[in-house]
Amino acid sequence: MKNPWWKLGLILAVTAWALFFSWPREGRPFLNMSLGLDLKGGSHLVMQVVTDDAVKAAADAMATRVAEKLRKEGFPTVRVSSADGGQVIVSDIPAGRGGDVEAAIKDDLGNWSSSSGAGELRIQMPPSEMDLHRDNAVKQALTTIRNRVDAFGVSETNIQRLGGDQRDRILVELPGVEDPSRVKGLIQTQARLELRSAYYRADGMGPFRGRSKEEVAQMLGGQIPTGVEILPYQETDRQTGKQAATEWMAVERSSVITGADLADARRGQGQFGGAVVDFQLHVNAVDRFAKFTRTNVGRQMPIVLDDKIISAPRINSEIGMRGMIEGNFTPQTADDLALQLRAGALPARVNTIEERTVGPSLGKDSIDAGVRASYIGSLAVCLFMLIYYRRSGINAIVALVLNLLILAAVMSGVGAVLTLPGIAGYALTVGMAVDSNVLIFERIREELRHGRSVPAAVEQGFAKALSAILDTHVTTIVSALFLFNYGTGPVKGFAVSLTVGLLANLFTALVVSRFIFDAEIRGRQVKRLSI
């Protein structure tokens, strides 16, 4: 029989490593693992990204490019607008000039298709490009939401994109957050910041402000000029936090500065002691902003957040790298806006379609029930192994305990979060570990009944059980990998704990159990084996 003592060093090293990583620490009292939402309590949100917004934004960008090109090519009266479904419509084309308009913008269309008729030109985004914009919108929203939640200070979160026909949905789990209203507000707000110019006519008249959108349109002669839109000027009630449109204002569609140009944003204090948001620009935007403010001294510069004007300060002098956003903020709303601007704007609206709150008491009950069930099940298994396999049952129990230690060490070492499905994975690992020992022990019994010596029976028992053990473990691991790939958070937790447990079980069943048998019979004339 081969010398088994090299295995002892390996087993002791693995045991020491497992004890070190699974030993409870402050804040992680259960096997040094963080607790998931279902055990710790907190909020569960499923949010849907309105991907049509991303398609509409791409169509708006194309409409802006087309309008600018047509104005340069001598078509100042045409109107260019975007429509649902990734369409851009060019209307009010002078009679007989449709072909000229189409030729003027042909090079700017790329792979977009165009069709003309009834005095207008329709430009259509290709389906493949729409799918790409939708997919990118969800990916960018996932990154932005994760940045905002991390900046807010919620730890051990689970934020991931769902699969299948729910690929436009994002799962957000916030352990320890029982009232998610503020976090939800931070997540859902697009925070699309734009510094624009108020609209002034060529004769210098402006800006145009009124109590309604219709009133402003009448000031403009009943027709809104190309490249201009009328936006609501919203005031925030400092007591209730609610917003209401107090008046409307005509502004240029093009942005001087956007949220992407900001290098930093922090809450500050205004001239009269109120909360403001101080911002700092990236270097490549400083010259552009300085030039704009220098040439527009005395004019108003509306600050637009999510298509609503929050303030419209007058430019008194050239502004360089640093600026200030005023908007009747409270300290909390200023902090929230600064956080959103630092994390980046959402590419599309995000709606909450599912919301659940798990209280900490329910989480504690789940832990107690899971631990109690695990204790009872493990004790029953140990008693069965001792009664049915006698002293060899101790071998199985030692292997089982080390199996669970290795599983706990790996899960805590990789920062995995323990959930109820994860506990179920532990329970199933116990069953698989016992199953492996049963296969080995029954094979050894069979060899002993056929008259083989104890060393030969042990040798053949492990050899003949190997194929069955490998088959069951490989097929179960493959199933777990499918669960991990296509499942959501709780299902992934179950799959991870089960896979790690099965890999640990291969080590304990084939190495640890074999070493114990070999150590017992090595150098001795063992006539009988207690099995």
Side-chain angles (χ1 to χ4, degrees), residues 182 238 264-270 273-280 322-326 328-342:
R182 186 183 174 196
R238 294 178 62 89
D264 193 18
R266 304 283 173 182
R267 172 167 64 91
Q269 189 171 11
V276 298
V277 176
D278 292 324
F279 66 84
Q280 180 176 325
R322 300 179 183 276
M324 178 191 301
I325 300 173
E326 297 177 309
N328 198 29
F329 298 119
T330 64
Q332 179 175 308
T333 57
D335 276 332
D336 290 349
L337 177 57
L339 185 155
Q340 291 163 342
L341 295 177
R342 291 196 304 273

Side-chain angles (χ1 to χ4, degrees), residues 301-317:
M301 180 180 63
I303 299 173
V304 181
L305 183 67
D306 296 335
D307 294 326
K308 301 177 183 67
I309 301 172
I310 58 175
S311 65
R314 187 177 303 277
I315 301 172
N316 295 320
S317 61

Side-chain angles (χ1 to χ4, degrees), residues 149-420:
V149 172
D150 290 346
F152 187 70
V154 182
S155 60
E156 299 167 8
T157 57
N158 176 34
I159 303 172
Q160 62 182 26
R161 182 178 185 177
L162 302 185
D165 59 354
Q166 298 182 336
R167 290 182 58 78
D168 60 344
R169 298 182 181 182
I170 296 174
L171 171 68
V172 181
E173 292 183 330
L174 308 170
V177 178
E178 294 183 66
D179 181 13
S181 56
R182 186 183 174 196
V183 178
K184 190 168 66 174
L186 284 172
I187 290 174
Q188 288 185 282
T189 302
Q190 279 189 265
R192 191 175 67 253
L193 179 73
E194 300 170 282
L195 274 61
R196 303 194 194 179
S197 172
Y199 174 63
Y200 290 83
R201 286 198 323 215
D203 59 7
M205 181 174 289
F208 298 90
R209 301 172 67 161
R211 290 171 294 181
S212 67
K213 190 173 183 178
E214 293 74 17
E215 182 178 338
V216 177
Q218 289 178 358
M219 294 179 184
L220 298 172
Q223 184 174 3
I224 302 174
T226 303
V228 177
E229 63 180 333
I230 302 173
L231 297 179
Y233 194 120
Q234 292 208 329
E235 292 285 351
T236 303
D237 190 313
R238 294 178 62 89
Q239 300 298 323
T240 64
K242 294 183 178 180
Q243 295 181 329
T246 56
E247 59 180 349
W248 297 73
M249 185 175 187
V251 300
E252 301 280 357
R253 283 184 179 271
S254 59
S255 304
V256 181
I257 292 293
T258 68
D261 295 316
L262 301 188
D264 193 18
R266 304 283 173 182
R267 172 167 64 91
Q269 189 171 11
Q271 181 178 0
F272 301 104
V276 298
V277 176
D278 292 324
F279 66 84
Q280 180 176 325
L281 297 176
H282 287 296
V283 174
N284 57 5
V286 173
D287 289 342
R288 183 191 343 136
F289 192 46
K291 180 180 178 181
F292 169 80
T293 53
R294 183 170 60 248
T295 57
N296 286 275
V297 171
R299 294 191 172 189
Q300 286 186 276
M301 180 180 63
I303 299 173
V304 181
L305 183 67
D306 296 335
D307 294 326
K308 301 177 183 67
I309 301 172
I310 58 175
S311 65
R314 187 177 303 277
I315 301 172
N316 295 320
S317 61
E318 178 182 326
I319 304 174
M321 181 175 286
R322 300 179 183 276
M324 178 191 301
I325 300 173
E326 297 177 309
N328 198 29
F329 298 119
T330 64
Q332 179 175 308
T333 57
D335 276 332
D336 290 349
L337 177 57
L339 185 155
Q340 291 163 342
L341 295 177
R342 291 196 304 273
L346 286 171
R349 287 171 294 161
V350 175
N351 297 326
T352 302
I353 60 175
E354 181 184 340
E355 179 178 347
R356 296 200 307 269
T357 301
V358 179
S361 59
L362 180 59
K364 185 177 185 304
D365 292 342
S366 298
I367 295 175
D368 294 341
V371 171
R372 187 163 54 249
S374 299
Y375 283 155
I376 294 173
S378 300
L379 180 61
V381 168
C382 292
L383 288 175
F384 168 78
M385 297 300 288
L386 289 172
I387 294 171
Y388 194 73
Y389 291 110
R390 304 173 190 173
R391 202 168 65 193
S392 293
I394 299 175
N395 183 327
I397 293 171
V398 171
L400 175 61
V401 171
L402 182 56
N403 188 347
L404 294 178
L405 276 177
I406 293 173
L407 173 56
V410 172
M411 298 292 280
S412 63
V414 300
V417 176
L418 184 65
T419 61
L420 274 178

